[in-house]
Amino acid sequence: MSTRRDSDETVDIEIDIEGDTLEIERERIENVRVDQLFQPVESGRADARLQLWSDSAGWNGYERRDGEFYHVNVLTETTIKDDQVVVESTYIHEEQVPPEDVAESVRDHVLDRHAGAVGTFVRGCSPP
């Protein structure tokens, strides 16, 4: 059995019944603009940020600056002095890219079944 629902998103549902077992597979397809994936930032060089991968040494992803997109790899160093935590960031890679490159990276990020083997595969963005 397969059904489709009309709305702003597409949802496919397949239901299989075998004996006393019910198996439901649901696929949701949502159209999202690249700039909707970015989270606003309050400080630094960027207006918004899309982190795709991170570990204790830093993060990798994209920044949006005045409507332009940049692929970045950022190292972070956290120090504690007295009762204050200080985080310093150093950009080790930064390259302006077209929106199509960001979209392709998000696609690869979603489809990478090995992501997270080292560090943290960031799932805070949508759709991943």
Side-chain angles (χ1 to χ4, degrees):
M1 170 191 215
S2 181
T3 185
R4 211 168 177 87
R5 180 178 71 184
D6 291 328
S7 68
D8 358 346
E9 65 186 42
T10 301
V11 178
D12 283 334
I13 299 173
E14 291 192 26
I15 301 173
D16 292 325
I17 300 174
E18 188 172 312
D20 63 350
T21 303
L22 174 65
E23 185 176 302
I24 300 173
E25 182 177 320
R26 180 176 184 236
E27 180 180 81
R28 177 178 164 191
I29 299 170
E30 184 178 350
N31 292 319
V32 179
R33 289 191 330 265
V34 166
D35 63 347
Q36 291 176 302
L37 299 174
F38 284 72
Q39 300 297 315
V41 291
E42 308 248 339
S43 61
R45 314 181 201 189
D47 314 325
R49 182 173 290 150
L50 172 61
Q51 292 183 343
L52 296 178
W53 187 89
S54 69
D55 66 8
S56 61
W59 64 274
N60 179 320
Y62 293 89
E63 288 185 339
R64 186 180 65 218
R65 304 175 192 159
D66 297 322
E68 301 292 332
F69 297 101
Y70 292 82
H71 178 239
V72 297
N73 194 345
V74 180
L75 292 178
T76 55
E77 185 177 341
T78 304
T79 55
I80 300 174
K81 294 181 181 176
D82 298 321
D83 60 346
Q84 292 198 348
V85 177
V86 178
V87 179
E88 294 180 18
S89 297
T90 304
Y91 287 74
I92 61 171
H93 174 82
E94 130 181 67
E95 173 186 6
Q96 186 174 351
V97 296
E100 296 80 18
D101 285 9
V102 180
E104 184 69 18
S105 286
V106 169
R107 184 190 71 80
D108 292 346
H109 178 79
V110 170
L111 297 176
D112 187 353
R113 64 184 182 88
H114 297 294
V118 178
T120 304
F121 187 65
V122 179
R123 297 188 187 280
C125 67
S126 175

